Amino acid sequence: MIESTEIVEKMTYNLIDLNRKDYLKNNNLNKNDIKKLVDKAYETQNLAEKELMFLLEQPLRHLGYLLKKADQKREEVFSDEVHLRAIIEFSNYCRQNCYYCGLRKDNQNIERYQLKKEEIIESAESAAKIGYKTVVLQSGEDEYPAQEIAEIIKEIKKRTSMAVTLSLGERDFGAYKLWREAGADRYLLKHETADKKLYYKYHPGMSFENRIESLKYLKNLGYQIGSGVIIGLPGQTKKILAEDLLLLKELDIDMMGAGPFIPHQQTPLKDFRRGTVEMTLKFNSLCRLLMPLVHIPATTALGTIDVQGRQKALKAGANVVMPNVTASSYREKYQIYPDKICISEDAGDCRQCIGSIINSLGRYVSQNAGHSLKI
Ligand code: SAH
Ligand code: SF4
């Protein structure tokens, strides 16, 4: 049996220029190595950084077994149930300047909007009427008064039986506490990249440490927490992605989102290439094997760069879809990245469309809130 260290040594050997015959021989060896590592991940939920790098380096056409085992694990844990999370993008104001994001403060080319308290509550109520069991309140890092957010949460909890997820970026720790006491169930705050150098490069004025501390504090408050990354950020390496996977595991998250980087014309990263479907699928399927209980969405960003993107993710470990229920008139103004799908549809259209995608895969939409399996 080939030991993992041997596989890693071979990986280094792979980098040496080989003649074609050796290359083909090595490639066949790789296929056996892939199977061994995937089986190890499937059985132990653990892989070392170098082993993760080895898998991330393989072309997707050699990783059918990885995707298959991720799908199998998803089925064992969640059966064919898919959870829907309705997103309300209630404000595109943002005080941050993340290099990749169209909502960044320095982008003067977007019309900013902010929904009123009652509008947000009403949108949530209609999402509940359409049948959603979770609502996600998302915005730029707006300075929407914390007290008002708390009132919105309380009112949604009073009027509906939905779980409430917040995705509002970093706020002061008192606000996190206030919102938890108001009834919020979950908080999404992606760490974006585990590489501090890259983090500081793309997040001027922000602190990686504070982000991680926020996640830990949120978890202590009893929130179900979600983190995640952007796949394909310029400068991101396989080593960094392997570190991302290990950090996600260490944070003991309940949810994980990974979507491809999509360059936005009004940002400093406009001229860089977007992330790939292949890497996003590899990353998602490894997440499923390393963290079997975690909720993983088939992201809208993946559906944006590939019409079949969400279907592909649902067949490679994902068990969640996050349809947009924001009023159509605001959707095009919430341009985190360009060409986002489902901009002209309304909430009802999206619900139907997603439902049929899920059914076409032989899966069904869950009728429960889809809380963390860890609680
Ligand atoms: N302001 C909040 C929530 C909105 S942004 C926050 O930052 O957490 C939600 C997510 O959009 C971010 O976590 C980031 O991963 C993603 N995002 C932003 N710009 C993107 C881009 N150009 N391509 C792909 N994903 C992007
Ligand atoms: Fe603001 Fe979030 Fe975009 Fe960063 S990713 S600029 S915090 S909306």
Side-chain angles (χ1 to χ4, degrees), residues 94 100-102 138-141 167-169 188-190 192 211 229-230 259-264 301 334 336-337:
C94 188
Y100 42 79
C101 179
Q138 192 180 80
S139 68
E141 230 176 87
S167 173
L168 316 174
L188 297 177
L189 186 67
K190 296 196 205 172
E192 315 291 3
R211 203 142 184 107
V229 300
I230 304 186
F261 161 63
I262 305 177
H264 187 294
Y334 198 82
I336 284 177
Y337 50 79

Tab-separated table of all heavy atoms in Angstrom, residues 94 100-102 138-141 167-169 188-190 192 211 229-230 259-264 301 334 336-337, ligand 1:
chain	number	residue	atom	x	y	z
A	94	CYS	N	-22.032	49.958	1.763
A	94	CYS	CA	-20.965	49.217	2.417
A	94	CYS	C	-19.836	50.167	2.814
A	94	CYS	O	-19.424	51.015	2.041
A	94	CYS	CB	-20.420	48.121	1.507
A	94	CYS	SG	-19.277	47.073	2.423
A	100	TYR	N	-12.476	42.804	-4.445
A	100	TYR	CA	-13.169	42.017	-5.475
A	100	TYR	C	-14.638	42.395	-5.649
A	100	TYR	O	-15.277	41.972	-6.593
A	100	TYR	CB	-13.079	40.520	-5.107
A	100	TYR	CG	-13.298	40.248	-3.621
A	100	TYR	CD1	-14.564	40.238	-3.089
A	100	TYR	CD2	-12.206	40.050	-2.762
A	100	TYR	CE1	-14.761	40.015	-1.728
A	100	TYR	CE2	-12.392	39.832	-1.403
A	100	TYR	CZ	-13.667	39.812	-0.886
A	100	TYR	OH	-13.860	39.606	0.446
A	101	CYS	N	-15.189	43.194	-4.742
A	101	CYS	CA	-16.643	43.307	-4.643
A	101	CYS	C	-17.209	44.603	-5.220
A	101	CYS	O	-16.711	45.696	-4.929
A	101	CYS	CB	-17.033	43.176	-3.180
A	101	CYS	SG	-18.802	43.327	-2.911
A	102	GLY	N	-18.254	44.459	-5.997
A	102	GLY	CA	-18.895	45.608	-6.648
A	102	GLY	C	-19.589	46.554	-5.675
A	102	GLY	O	-19.890	47.698	-6.023
A	138	GLN	N	-29.225	39.779	4.109
A	138	GLN	CA	-27.858	40.089	3.668
A	138	GLN	C	-27.738	41.548	3.244
A	138	GLN	O	-28.680	42.128	2.695
A	138	GLN	CB	-27.441	39.178	2.514
A	138	GLN	CG	-25.942	39.280	2.256
A	138	GLN	CD	-25.462	38.394	1.116
A	138	GLN	OE1	-25.606	38.751	-0.041
A	138	GLN	NE2	-24.881	37.260	1.450
A	139	SER	N	-26.565	42.123	3.470
A	139	SER	CA	-26.313	43.504	3.041
A	139	SER	C	-24.809	43.725	2.940
A	139	SER	O	-24.017	42.885	3.369
A	139	SER	CB	-26.882	44.490	4.071
A	139	SER	OG	-26.147	44.404	5.264
A	140	GLY	N	-24.442	44.875	2.387
A	140	GLY	CA	-23.058	45.307	2.496
A	140	GLY	C	-22.806	45.598	3.966
A	140	GLY	O	-23.728	45.496	4.788
A	141	GLU	N	-21.587	45.983	4.304
A	141	GLU	CA	-21.350	46.310	5.717
A	141	GLU	C	-21.918	47.696	5.975
A	141	GLU	O	-21.212	48.687	6.131
A	141	GLU	CB	-19.857	46.203	6.052
A	141	GLU	CG	-19.652	45.368	7.295
A	141	GLU	CD	-18.199	45.157	7.621
A	141	GLU	OE1	-17.614	46.018	8.311
A	141	GLU	OE2	-17.651	44.135	7.184
A	167	SER	N	-26.251	37.908	7.419
A	167	SER	CA	-25.031	37.971	6.612
A	167	SER	C	-24.748	39.448	6.378
A	167	SER	O	-25.006	39.994	5.317
A	167	SER	CB	-25.252	37.208	5.292
A	167	SER	OG	-24.159	37.368	4.424
A	168	LEU	N	-24.258	40.080	7.450
A	168	LEU	CA	-24.146	41.542	7.465
A	168	LEU	C	-22.705	42.010	7.587
A	168	LEU	O	-22.459	43.189	7.835
A	168	LEU	CB	-24.948	42.109	8.655
A	168	LEU	CG	-26.347	41.522	8.890
A	168	LEU	CD1	-26.948	42.065	10.163
A	168	LEU	CD2	-27.250	41.834	7.724
A	169	GLY	N	-21.770	41.077	7.429
A	169	GLY	CA	-20.360	41.440	7.582
A	169	GLY	C	-20.000	41.572	9.050
A	169	GLY	O	-20.682	41.028	9.924
A	188	LEU	N	-23.610	34.147	8.797
A	188	LEU	CA	-22.650	33.820	7.727
A	188	LEU	C	-21.592	34.908	7.650
A	188	LEU	O	-21.923	36.083	7.511
A	188	LEU	CB	-23.347	33.794	6.364
A	188	LEU	CG	-24.443	32.765	6.106
A	188	LEU	CD1	-25.035	32.978	4.702
A	188	LEU	CD2	-23.871	31.362	6.215
A	189	LEU	N	-20.359	34.506	7.755
A	189	LEU	CA	-19.249	35.464	7.649
A	189	LEU	C	-18.061	34.704	7.073
A	189	LEU	O	-17.322	34.044	7.798
A	189	LEU	CB	-18.917	36.026	9.045
A	189	LEU	CG	-17.889	37.145	9.111
A	189	LEU	CD1	-18.401	38.422	8.457
A	189	LEU	CD2	-17.524	37.428	10.563
A	190	LYS	N	-17.908	34.799	5.760
A	190	LYS	CA	-16.828	34.017	5.144
A	190	LYS	C	-15.467	34.572	5.544
A	190	LYS	O	-15.291	35.797	5.583
A	190	LYS	CB	-16.951	34.081	3.624
A	190	LYS	CG	-18.223	33.452	3.085
A	190	LYS	CD	-18.025	33.225	1.595
A	190	LYS	CE	-19.327	33.197	0.849
A	190	LYS	NZ	-19.105	33.168	-0.610
A	192	GLU	N	-13.054	34.192	3.656
A	192	GLU	CA	-12.636	34.570	2.284
A	192	GLU	C	-11.316	33.952	1.840
A	192	GLU	O	-11.241	33.378	0.770
A	192	GLU	CB	-12.582	36.095	2.061
A	192	GLU	CG	-13.782	36.893	2.601
A	192	GLU	CD	-15.097	36.661	1.872
A	192	GLU	OE1	-15.137	35.837	0.952
A	192	GLU	OE2	-16.104	37.291	2.261
A	211	ARG	N	-11.970	38.915	12.131
A	211	ARG	CA	-12.942	38.078	11.429
A	211	ARG	C	-13.041	36.717	12.120
A	211	ARG	O	-14.115	36.207	12.379
A	211	ARG	CB	-12.474	37.902	9.976
A	211	ARG	CG	-13.600	37.571	9.055
A	211	ARG	CD	-13.382	38.278	7.741
A	211	ARG	NE	-14.472	38.069	6.841
A	211	ARG	CZ	-15.364	39.012	6.544
A	211	ARG	NH1	-15.330	40.187	7.109
A	211	ARG	NH2	-16.315	38.761	5.683
A	229	VAL	N	-15.112	30.690	1.370
A	229	VAL	CA	-14.028	31.329	0.623
A	229	VAL	C	-14.488	31.742	-0.773
A	229	VAL	O	-15.540	31.318	-1.237
A	229	VAL	CB	-12.833	30.354	0.436
A	229	VAL	CG1	-12.275	29.900	1.764
A	229	VAL	CG2	-13.231	29.148	-0.381
A	230	ILE	N	-13.653	32.555	-1.393
A	230	ILE	CA	-13.838	32.847	-2.814
A	230	ILE	C	-12.799	32.011	-3.552
A	230	ILE	O	-11.605	32.066	-3.232
A	230	ILE	CB	-13.608	34.335	-3.121
A	230	ILE	CG1	-14.538	35.203	-2.257
A	230	ILE	CG2	-13.841	34.621	-4.591
A	230	ILE	CD1	-14.475	36.669	-2.594
A	259	GLY	N	-17.791	30.045	-3.610
A	259	GLY	CA	-18.194	30.378	-4.980
A	259	GLY	C	-16.991	30.912	-5.728
A	259	GLY	O	-16.021	31.381	-5.121
A	260	PRO	N	-17.039	30.843	-7.076
A	260	PRO	CA	-15.909	31.348	-7.872
A	260	PRO	C	-15.825	32.869	-7.845
A	260	PRO	O	-16.856	33.554	-7.795
A	260	PRO	CB	-16.256	30.864	-9.289
A	260	PRO	CG	-17.748	30.748	-9.295
A	260	PRO	CD	-18.139	30.332	-7.906
A	261	PHE	N	-14.609	33.359	-7.885
A	261	PHE	CA	-14.384	34.807	-8.031
A	261	PHE	C	-14.863	35.222	-9.425
A	261	PHE	O	-14.520	34.597	-10.433
A	261	PHE	CB	-12.884	35.094	-7.874
A	261	PHE	CG	-12.471	36.424	-8.428
A	261	PHE	CD1	-12.963	37.608	-7.894
A	261	PHE	CD2	-11.596	36.503	-9.513
A	261	PHE	CE1	-12.592	38.844	-8.420
A	261	PHE	CE2	-11.213	37.732	-10.040
A	261	PHE	CZ	-11.714	38.895	-9.497
A	262	ILE	N	-15.673	36.281	-9.471
A	262	ILE	CA	-16.135	36.815	-10.764
A	262	ILE	C	-15.725	38.291	-10.810
A	262	ILE	O	-16.179	39.094	-9.986
A	262	ILE	CB	-17.678	36.682	-10.904
A	262	ILE	CG1	-18.107	35.222	-10.692
A	262	ILE	CG2	-18.139	37.205	-12.273
A	262	ILE	CD1	-19.609	34.985	-10.737
A	263	PRO	N	-14.823	38.644	-11.743
A	263	PRO	CA	-14.324	40.027	-11.744
A	263	PRO	C	-15.423	41.045	-12.039
A	263	PRO	O	-16.273	40.817	-12.894
A	263	PRO	CB	-13.256	40.022	-12.849
A	263	PRO	CG	-13.483	38.792	-13.636
A	263	PRO	CD	-14.217	37.811	-12.775
A	264	HIS	N	-15.379	42.110	-11.305
A	264	HIS	CA	-16.359	43.185	-11.467
A	264	HIS	C	-15.622	44.396	-12.034
A	264	HIS	O	-14.558	44.774	-11.523
A	264	HIS	CB	-16.974	43.485	-10.091
A	264	HIS	CG	-18.113	44.445	-10.144
A	264	HIS	ND1	-17.968	45.761	-10.514
A	264	HIS	CD2	-19.435	44.282	-9.865
A	264	HIS	CE1	-19.147	46.370	-10.466
A	264	HIS	NE2	-20.051	45.484	-10.067
A	301	ALA	N	-23.092	32.174	-7.517
A	301	ALA	CA	-21.922	32.565	-8.322
A	301	ALA	C	-21.532	31.427	-9.266
A	301	ALA	O	-21.187	31.654	-10.430
A	301	ALA	CB	-20.749	32.938	-7.414
A	334	TYR	N	-27.786	45.193	-6.582
A	334	TYR	CA	-26.971	44.435	-5.623
A	334	TYR	C	-25.941	43.616	-6.395
A	334	TYR	O	-25.961	42.398	-6.416
A	334	TYR	CB	-27.873	43.529	-4.785
A	334	TYR	CG	-27.219	43.033	-3.506
A	334	TYR	CD1	-27.175	43.817	-2.368
A	334	TYR	CD2	-26.631	41.770	-3.453
A	334	TYR	CE1	-26.568	43.374	-1.205
A	334	TYR	CE2	-26.024	41.310	-2.291
A	334	TYR	CZ	-26.008	42.119	-1.179
A	334	TYR	OH	-25.404	41.666	-0.021
A	336	ILE	N	-22.742	42.437	-6.437
A	336	ILE	CA	-21.474	42.027	-5.822
A	336	ILE	C	-20.514	41.645	-6.941
A	336	ILE	O	-19.345	41.981	-6.949
A	336	ILE	CB	-21.760	40.847	-4.881
A	336	ILE	CG1	-22.406	41.374	-3.607
A	336	ILE	CG2	-20.506	40.061	-4.565
A	336	ILE	CD1	-22.803	40.317	-2.624
A	337	TYR	N	-21.048	40.911	-7.912
A	337	TYR	CA	-20.316	40.569	-9.142
A	337	TYR	C	-21.291	40.722	-10.300
A	337	TYR	O	-22.507	40.748	-10.097
A	337	TYR	CB	-19.752	39.134	-9.061
A	337	TYR	CG	-20.770	38.096	-8.653
A	337	TYR	CD1	-21.684	37.587	-9.564
A	337	TYR	CD2	-20.837	37.637	-7.336
A	337	TYR	CE1	-22.632	36.651	-9.184
A	337	TYR	CE2	-21.783	36.715	-6.945
A	337	TYR	CZ	-22.676	36.220	-7.880
A	337	TYR	OH	-23.627	35.309	-7.504
B	1	SAH	N1	-21.079	42.244	3.314
B	1	SAH	C1	-21.265	40.927	3.777
B	1	SAH	C2	-22.251	40.123	2.967
B	1	SAH	C3	-22.361	40.429	1.510
B	1	SAH	S1	-21.003	39.959	0.531
B	1	SAH	C4	-19.936	40.208	3.835
B	1	SAH	O1	-18.991	40.664	3.221
B	1	SAH	O2	-19.871	39.195	4.523
B	1	SAH	C5	-21.252	38.215	0.420
B	1	SAH	C6	-20.127	37.461	-0.221
B	1	SAH	O3	-19.991	37.820	-1.584
B	1	SAH	C7	-18.753	37.695	0.338
B	1	SAH	O4	-18.533	36.924	1.477
B	1	SAH	C8	-17.847	37.309	-0.822
B	1	SAH	O5	-17.327	36.004	-0.630
B	1	SAH	C9	-18.765	37.290	-2.031
B	1	SAH	N2	-18.248	38.109	-3.150
B	1	SAH	C10	-18.025	39.434	-3.161
B	1	SAH	N3	-17.521	39.823	-4.352
B	1	SAH	C11	-17.419	38.729	-5.124
B	1	SAH	C12	-16.948	38.487	-6.457
B	1	SAH	N4	-16.504	39.455	-7.235
B	1	SAH	N5	-16.993	37.215	-6.922
B	1	SAH	C13	-17.462	36.207	-6.136
B	1	SAH	N6	-17.906	36.369	-4.873
B	1	SAH	C14	-17.879	37.625	-4.366
